[in-house]
Amino acid sequence: MKSLLRLVCHQAPERILRCNGVFSLLCSRCTGIYSGFSLGILFLFFFRRKASLFPGLRTSILAGFFIFFNIVHPFLASHFAILDSNFLRFAAGFFCGISLALFVYPLFVNVFVARPGNNHSAGNLREFFFYCIILSIAVLLVFAFRTTGLEILNILAIAGLLGIYLMLNATAAGMLLNWRGKRNKPAAFLMLVLYILLFFSIEYIVLSHGK
C-alpha cells in the first residue's frame, strides 16, 4: 500500500500527521487534498446531485484562489515560518480538495448523468461558503476524536485519491467515446472500462518513472 501511495505522495516523515502512534498514510497536504475532495463529492452528491455546470464566476474565482494558494503555499512556507506547519499544509490542501470537487463533479455528471435541459450548477458563492463551513466543521469534529479521527481521515483520503483518479479518467474516456449517445450499449461500456484501465496504466507508468 505505502509503495503505491508513494507514487502520488512523497510521504516525508516530518510532513506526516501523527497522534498517539497513529500516522496518516499520506503527507499532511495530500491528506487534506484528498479528504477534502472526498467530502466535497459526498456533499455535492447529496445536495447538488444533478449539478452539471460549473459554479458561477465569483464562486469559481474563490475556488480557484484556494487551489492557487495550495500550489504557492510551499513557497510561502519556505519564506515565512508562521506558515510552515503541517496543520496549515492540511488546511491548504483541504480547501483545495473541496474546490477541485466543484469542478470535477459537474464534468462527471455532464458526461454520465445529465439529460437535455439539465442546467443545474454546482452552486453560488453563498452556497460555497456554507459548503466550506460545513465541511470544515466536519473535519474539526474528526480531529477531535484524535487517533480515531486520524484513521477516518486516512479512509477519506484514500477514497478521495481513488475517486479523483477514477472520475477524471472516466470523464476523459466518456468524452472520447461520446458516452451520452452510447450509454445503453454494452459494447460501449466495455470500451469505457478499457479506456479507463488504459489511462490508469499510462499514469502508473509515468508516475513510476517519475520516481
Side-chain angles (χ1 to χ4, degrees), residues 136-172:
S136 298
I137 291 172
V139 167
L140 289 174
L141 289 174
V142 167
F143 270 120
F145 288 99
R146 300 176 68 80
T147 55
T148 304
L150 192 50
E151 290 170 349
I152 293 172
L153 278 181
N154 278 333
I155 294 171
L156 289 172
I158 298 303
L161 173 61
L162 294 174
I164 193 168
Y165 274 92
L166 181 59
M167 291 179 76
L168 288 175
N169 286 335
T171 300

CSV table of all heavy atoms in Angstrom, one decimal, residues 136-172:
chain,number,residue,atom,x,y,z
A,136,SER,N,-15.6,22.1,6.9
A,136,SER,CA,-14.6,22.4,7.9
A,136,SER,C,-15.0,21.9,9.3
A,136,SER,O,-14.2,21.4,10.1
A,136,SER,CB,-14.3,23.9,7.9
A,136,SER,OG,-13.8,24.3,6.7
A,137,ILE,N,-16.2,22.2,9.7
A,137,ILE,CA,-16.7,21.7,11.0
A,137,ILE,C,-16.6,20.2,11.1
A,137,ILE,O,-16.2,19.6,12.1
A,137,ILE,CB,-18.2,22.2,11.2
A,137,ILE,CG1,-18.2,23.7,11.4
A,137,ILE,CG2,-18.8,21.5,12.4
A,137,ILE,CD1,-19.6,24.3,11.4
A,138,ALA,N,-17.0,19.5,10.0
A,138,ALA,CA,-16.9,18.1,9.9
A,138,ALA,C,-15.5,17.6,10.2
A,138,ALA,O,-15.3,16.6,11.0
A,138,ALA,CB,-17.4,17.5,8.6
A,139,VAL,N,-14.5,18.2,9.6
A,139,VAL,CA,-13.1,17.8,9.8
A,139,VAL,C,-12.6,18.2,11.2
A,139,VAL,O,-11.9,17.4,11.8
A,139,VAL,CB,-12.2,18.5,8.7
A,139,VAL,CG1,-10.7,18.4,9.1
A,139,VAL,CG2,-12.5,17.9,7.4
A,140,LEU,N,-13.1,19.3,11.7
A,140,LEU,CA,-12.7,19.6,13.1
A,140,LEU,C,-13.2,18.6,14.1
A,140,LEU,O,-12.6,18.2,15.1
A,140,LEU,CB,-13.2,21.0,13.5
A,140,LEU,CG,-12.4,22.2,12.8
A,140,LEU,CD1,-13.1,23.5,13.1
A,140,LEU,CD2,-11.0,22.2,13.2
A,141,LEU,N,-14.4,18.1,13.8
A,141,LEU,CA,-15.0,17.1,14.7
A,141,LEU,C,-14.2,15.8,14.5
A,141,LEU,O,-14.0,15.1,15.5
A,141,LEU,CB,-16.5,16.8,14.3
A,141,LEU,CG,-17.5,18.0,14.6
A,141,LEU,CD1,-18.9,17.7,14.0
A,141,LEU,CD2,-17.6,18.1,16.2
A,142,VAL,N,-13.8,15.5,13.3
A,142,VAL,CA,-12.9,14.3,13.1
A,142,VAL,C,-11.7,14.4,13.9
A,142,VAL,O,-11.2,13.5,14.6
A,142,VAL,CB,-12.7,14.1,11.6
A,142,VAL,CG1,-11.5,13.1,11.4
A,142,VAL,CG2,-13.9,13.7,10.9
A,143,PHE,N,-11.0,15.6,13.9
A,143,PHE,CA,-9.8,15.9,14.6
A,143,PHE,C,-10.0,15.7,16.1
A,143,PHE,O,-9.1,15.3,16.8
A,143,PHE,CB,-9.2,17.2,14.3
A,143,PHE,CG,-8.3,17.3,13.1
A,143,PHE,CD1,-8.6,18.1,12.0
A,143,PHE,CD2,-7.1,16.5,13.1
A,143,PHE,CE1,-7.7,18.1,10.9
A,143,PHE,CE2,-6.2,16.6,12.0
A,143,PHE,CZ,-6.5,17.3,10.9
A,144,ALA,N,-11.2,16.0,16.6
A,144,ALA,CA,-11.5,16.0,18.0
A,144,ALA,C,-11.4,14.5,18.5
A,144,ALA,O,-11.2,14.3,19.7
A,144,ALA,CB,-12.9,16.5,18.3
A,145,PHE,N,-11.6,13.6,17.6
A,145,PHE,CA,-11.5,12.2,18.0
A,145,PHE,C,-10.1,11.6,18.0
A,145,PHE,O,-9.8,10.4,18.2
A,145,PHE,CB,-12.4,11.3,17.1
A,145,PHE,CG,-13.9,11.5,17.4
A,145,PHE,CD1,-14.6,12.3,16.6
A,145,PHE,CD2,-14.5,10.9,18.5
A,145,PHE,CE1,-16.0,12.5,16.8
A,145,PHE,CE2,-15.8,11.0,18.7
A,145,PHE,CZ,-16.6,11.9,17.9
A,146,ARG,N,-9.1,12.5,17.7
A,146,ARG,CA,-7.7,12.2,17.8
A,146,ARG,C,-7.3,11.0,16.9
A,146,ARG,O,-7.4,11.0,15.7
A,146,ARG,CB,-7.2,12.1,19.2
A,146,ARG,CG,-7.5,13.4,20.0
A,146,ARG,CD,-7.1,13.3,21.4
A,146,ARG,NE,-5.7,13.1,21.6
A,146,ARG,CZ,-4.8,14.1,21.6
A,146,ARG,NH1,-5.2,15.4,21.4
A,146,ARG,NH2,-3.5,13.9,21.8
A,147,THR,N,-6.9,9.9,17.6
A,147,THR,CA,-6.5,8.7,16.8
A,147,THR,C,-7.5,8.1,15.9
A,147,THR,O,-7.3,7.8,14.7
A,147,THR,CB,-6.0,7.6,17.8
A,147,THR,OG1,-7.0,7.3,18.7
A,147,THR,CG2,-4.7,8.0,18.5
A,148,THR,N,-8.8,8.0,16.4
A,148,THR,CA,-9.9,7.6,15.6
A,148,THR,C,-10.1,8.5,14.4
A,148,THR,O,-10.4,8.1,13.3
A,148,THR,CB,-11.1,7.4,16.4
A,148,THR,OG1,-10.9,6.5,17.5
A,148,THR,CG2,-12.3,6.8,15.6
A,149,GLY,N,-10.0,9.8,14.7
A,149,GLY,CA,-10.2,10.8,13.7
A,149,GLY,C,-9.2,10.7,12.6
A,149,GLY,O,-9.5,10.9,11.4
A,150,LEU,N,-7.9,10.5,13.0
A,150,LEU,CA,-6.9,10.3,12.0
A,150,LEU,C,-7.1,9.1,11.1
A,150,LEU,O,-6.8,9.1,9.9
A,150,LEU,CB,-5.5,10.2,12.7
A,150,LEU,CG,-4.3,10.4,11.8
A,150,LEU,CD1,-4.4,11.6,10.9
A,150,LEU,CD2,-3.0,10.5,12.7
A,151,GLU,N,-7.6,8.0,11.7
A,151,GLU,CA,-7.9,6.9,10.9
A,151,GLU,C,-9.1,7.1,9.9
A,151,GLU,O,-9.1,6.7,8.8
A,151,GLU,CB,-8.3,5.7,11.9
A,151,GLU,CG,-7.1,5.2,12.7
A,151,GLU,CD,-7.6,4.2,13.8
A,151,GLU,OE1,-8.8,4.1,14.0
A,151,GLU,OE2,-6.7,3.5,14.3
A,152,ILE,N,-10.0,8.0,10.4
A,152,ILE,CA,-11.1,8.4,9.5
A,152,ILE,C,-10.6,9.2,8.4
A,152,ILE,O,-11.0,9.0,7.2
A,152,ILE,CB,-12.2,9.1,10.3
A,152,ILE,CG1,-12.9,8.2,11.3
A,152,ILE,CG2,-13.2,9.8,9.3
A,152,ILE,CD1,-13.9,8.9,12.2
A,153,LEU,N,-9.7,10.1,8.7
A,153,LEU,CA,-9.1,10.9,7.6
A,153,LEU,C,-8.3,10.1,6.6
A,153,LEU,O,-8.3,10.4,5.4
A,153,LEU,CB,-8.1,12.0,8.3
A,153,LEU,CG,-8.7,13.3,8.8
A,153,LEU,CD1,-7.6,14.1,9.4
A,153,LEU,CD2,-9.5,14.0,7.7
A,154,ASN,N,-7.7,9.0,7.1
A,154,ASN,CA,-7.0,8.1,6.2
A,154,ASN,C,-7.9,7.5,5.2
A,154,ASN,O,-7.7,7.4,4.0
A,154,ASN,CB,-6.2,7.1,7.0
A,154,ASN,CG,-4.9,7.5,7.5
A,154,ASN,OD1,-4.2,8.4,6.9
A,154,ASN,ND2,-4.4,6.9,8.6
A,155,ILE,N,-9.1,7.1,5.7
A,155,ILE,CA,-10.1,6.4,4.9
A,155,ILE,C,-10.6,7.5,3.9
A,155,ILE,O,-10.7,7.1,2.7
A,155,ILE,CB,-11.2,5.9,5.7
A,155,ILE,CG1,-10.8,4.7,6.6
A,155,ILE,CG2,-12.4,5.4,4.9
A,155,ILE,CD1,-11.8,4.3,7.6
A,156,LEU,N,-10.9,8.7,4.3
A,156,LEU,CA,-11.4,9.7,3.4
A,156,LEU,C,-10.4,10.1,2.4
A,156,LEU,O,-10.7,10.3,1.2
A,156,LEU,CB,-11.8,11.0,4.2
A,156,LEU,CG,-13.0,10.9,5.1
A,156,LEU,CD1,-13.2,12.1,6.0
A,156,LEU,CD2,-14.3,10.7,4.2
A,157,ALA,N,-9.1,10.1,2.8
A,157,ALA,CA,-8.0,10.5,1.9
A,157,ALA,C,-7.8,9.4,0.8
A,157,ALA,O,-7.7,9.7,-0.4
A,157,ALA,CB,-6.7,10.7,2.6
A,158,ILE,N,-7.9,8.2,1.2
A,158,ILE,CA,-7.7,7.1,0.2
A,158,ILE,C,-8.9,7.1,-0.7
A,158,ILE,O,-8.8,6.9,-2.0
A,158,ILE,CB,-7.5,5.7,0.9
A,158,ILE,CG1,-6.3,5.7,1.7
A,158,ILE,CG2,-7.5,4.6,-0.1
A,158,ILE,CD1,-5.0,6.0,1.0
A,159,ALA,N,-10.1,7.3,-0.2
A,159,ALA,CA,-11.3,7.3,-1.0
A,159,ALA,C,-11.2,8.5,-2.0
A,159,ALA,O,-11.6,8.3,-3.2
A,159,ALA,CB,-12.6,7.4,-0.1
A,160,GLY,N,-10.8,9.6,-1.5
A,160,GLY,CA,-10.6,10.8,-2.4
A,160,GLY,C,-9.6,10.6,-3.5
A,160,GLY,O,-9.8,11.0,-4.6
A,161,LEU,N,-8.5,9.9,-3.1
A,161,LEU,CA,-7.4,9.7,-4.1
A,161,LEU,C,-7.9,8.8,-5.2
A,161,LEU,O,-7.8,9.1,-6.4
A,161,LEU,CB,-6.2,9.0,-3.4
A,161,LEU,CG,-5.1,8.5,-4.2
A,161,LEU,CD1,-4.5,9.6,-5.0
A,161,LEU,CD2,-4.0,7.8,-3.4
A,162,LEU,N,-8.6,7.7,-4.8
A,162,LEU,CA,-9.2,6.8,-5.8
A,162,LEU,C,-10.3,7.5,-6.6
A,162,LEU,O,-10.4,7.3,-7.8
A,162,LEU,CB,-9.7,5.5,-5.1
A,162,LEU,CG,-8.7,4.6,-4.4
A,162,LEU,CD1,-9.4,3.5,-3.7
A,162,LEU,CD2,-7.8,4.0,-5.5
A,163,GLY,N,-11.1,8.3,-5.9
A,163,GLY,CA,-12.2,9.0,-6.5
A,163,GLY,C,-11.8,9.9,-7.6
A,163,GLY,O,-12.4,10.0,-8.7
A,164,ILE,N,-10.8,10.8,-7.3
A,164,ILE,CA,-10.4,11.8,-8.2
A,164,ILE,C,-9.8,11.2,-9.5
A,164,ILE,O,-10.1,11.6,-10.6
A,164,ILE,CB,-9.5,12.8,-7.6
A,164,ILE,CG1,-9.4,14.1,-8.5
A,164,ILE,CG2,-8.1,12.3,-7.3
A,164,ILE,CD1,-8.7,15.3,-7.8
A,165,TYR,N,-9.0,10.1,-9.3
A,165,TYR,CA,-8.4,9.5,-10.5
A,165,TYR,C,-9.5,8.8,-11.3
A,165,TYR,O,-9.5,8.8,-12.5
A,165,TYR,CB,-7.3,8.5,-10.1
A,165,TYR,CG,-5.9,9.2,-9.9
A,165,TYR,CD1,-5.5,9.6,-8.7
A,165,TYR,CD2,-5.1,9.3,-11.0
A,165,TYR,CE1,-4.3,10.3,-8.5
A,165,TYR,CE2,-3.8,9.9,-10.8
A,165,TYR,CZ,-3.4,10.4,-9.6
A,165,TYR,OH,-2.2,11.0,-9.5
A,166,LEU,N,-10.4,8.1,-10.6
A,166,LEU,CA,-11.4,7.4,-11.3
A,166,LEU,C,-12.4,8.3,-12.1
A,166,LEU,O,-12.7,8.1,-13.2
A,166,LEU,CB,-12.2,6.5,-10.3
A,166,LEU,CG,-13.3,5.6,-10.9
A,166,LEU,CD1,-12.8,4.7,-12.0
A,166,LEU,CD2,-14.0,4.8,-9.8
A,167,MET,N,-12.8,9.4,-11.4
A,167,MET,CA,-13.7,10.3,-12.0
A,167,MET,C,-13.1,11.0,-13.2
A,167,MET,O,-13.7,11.2,-14.2
A,167,MET,CB,-14.2,11.3,-11.0
A,167,MET,CG,-15.1,10.7,-9.9
A,167,MET,SD,-15.7,11.9,-8.7
A,167,MET,CE,-16.9,12.8,-9.6
A,168,LEU,N,-11.8,11.4,-13.1
A,168,LEU,CA,-11.2,12.2,-14.2
A,168,LEU,C,-10.9,11.2,-15.3
A,168,LEU,O,-11.2,11.6,-16.5
A,168,LEU,CB,-9.9,12.8,-13.7
A,168,LEU,CG,-10.0,14.0,-12.8
A,168,LEU,CD1,-8.7,14.5,-12.3
A,168,LEU,CD2,-10.7,15.2,-13.5
A,169,ASN,N,-10.5,10.0,-15.0
A,169,ASN,CA,-10.2,9.0,-16.1
A,169,ASN,C,-11.5,8.6,-16.8
A,169,ASN,O,-11.6,8.5,-18.0
A,169,ASN,CB,-9.5,7.8,-15.6
A,169,ASN,CG,-8.0,8.1,-15.3
A,169,ASN,OD1,-7.4,9.0,-15.8
A,169,ASN,ND2,-7.5,7.3,-14.4
A,170,ALA,N,-12.6,8.4,-16.0
A,170,ALA,CA,-13.9,8.0,-16.6
A,170,ALA,C,-14.4,9.1,-17.4
A,170,ALA,O,-15.0,8.9,-18.5
A,170,ALA,CB,-14.8,7.6,-15.5
A,171,THR,N,-14.3,10.4,-16.9
A,171,THR,CA,-14.8,11.5,-17.7
A,171,THR,C,-14.1,11.7,-19.0
A,171,THR,O,-14.7,11.9,-20.0
A,171,THR,CB,-14.7,12.8,-16.8
A,171,THR,OG1,-15.4,12.7,-15.6
A,171,THR,CG2,-15.2,14.0,-17.6
A,172,ALA,N,-12.8,11.5,-19.0
A,172,ALA,CA,-12.0,11.6,-20.2
A,172,ALA,C,-12.4,10.5,-21.2
A,172,ALA,O,-12.6,10.8,-22.4
A,172,ALA,CB,-10.5,11.6,-19.9
